[in-house]
Amino acid sequence: MKNNKSALWMRGVGFMLAGMVCGALPAGATVKTGEHQVSMTAGAAIPTTKYDLSAVGGTSEVMSGPGVGFGGQYLYHLTPALGLGGEFSYAAFGDKDHAIGPILGVPGTIVTSSYKTWTMEAVARYVLMPESRVNPYFIAGVGLGSVSAKARTKLPPGLIFASTGSREA
C-alpha cells in the first residue's frame, strides 16, 4: 500500500511540475549571455466565461463575441539560463447582443456588450536546460492589468429613453 501512495504522490508532483513549466524554446535554440530576445503573438480572442443574467430576465451566456488579441515579450539574458524583461498583451472582444427583460415592465430590451483587456508586466524567465535541444522554462512576473466593459441598451421599437429621446442609452 505504501508503494501505491508513493507512486501517486510522485505522479502528482510530476503533474504539478509539468504545470509549472510554462513552455519551451524552439528545439536547439541556445541563448548567450547579453543577447536580446523579442517575440510577438497575434490571434483570435475567444471569450469563454459565462455570466448569469437571470436576475434581469436573461440567461447564462458568454458576455461578448470573438475578437482579436496580440502581445509581445522582450528579454535580456543575464546568463544563458536567466532572462529579465517585460511583456504586454491586449485583447478586444467583439459585440454581443443579449435579450433581457422585462425591465420595469418593458419586454424585449436588448443589451449589447463588449470587453477590452490589457496586461503589462516585468518578467523573469529561467531555462532549466539551456544547452539541451529542448529548453523547458519557468516564467514569473509582476505587473498591471485592466478590463474595460462597454454596454449599450436598446429598447424595443416604439419606445424611447426619456433622458436621451432615442431607443439607445
Side-chain angles (χ1 to χ4, degrees):
M1 185 72 164
K2 186 173 185 174
N3 286 341
N4 287 341
K5 284 184 182 178
S6 177
L8 288 174
W9 182 84
M10 289 302 289
R11 190 176 306 151
V13 169
F15 284 126
M16 183 178 72
L17 289 175
M20 290 172 62
V21 175
C22 295
L25 296 171
T30 56
V31 178
K32 296 176 180 60
T33 298
E35 277 191 351
H36 303 270
Q37 193 173 36
V38 176
S39 60
M40 298 179 73
T41 59
I46 301 171
T48 58
T49 303
K50 289 188 175 188
Y51 294 91
D52 184 7
L53 301 175
S54 61
V56 291
T59 61
S60 176
E61 57 187 281
V62 175
M63 291 299 287
S64 61
V68 297
F70 63 88
Q73 182 184 72
Y74 166 79
L75 290 172
Y76 174 76
H77 289 273
L78 300 173
T79 70
L82 180 63
L84 299 177
E87 245 178 46
F88 173 79
S89 66
Y90 175 83
F93 297 95
D95 289 349
K96 181 168 182 191
D97 290 343
H98 311 279
I100 61 172
I103 295 179
L104 301 175
V106 179
T109 302
I110 302 292
V111 174
T112 302
S113 62
S114 62
Y115 292 87
K116 293 181 175 138
T117 66
W118 63 264
T119 62
M120 180 173 44
E121 58 234 330
V123 295
R125 182 170 73 183
Y126 182 77
V127 179
L128 297 174
M129 301 177 293
E131 302 300 323
S132 173
R133 283 186 45 81
V134 177
N135 307 112
Y137 59 86
F138 292 101
I139 192 164
V142 61
L144 303 170
S146 173
V147 175
S148 62
K150 181 170 73 172
R152 294 178 308 282
T153 304
K154 188 173 184 179
L155 292 174
L159 298 175
I160 62 169
F161 287 100
S163 61
T164 64
S166 73
R167 289 183 51 222
E168 296 189 15

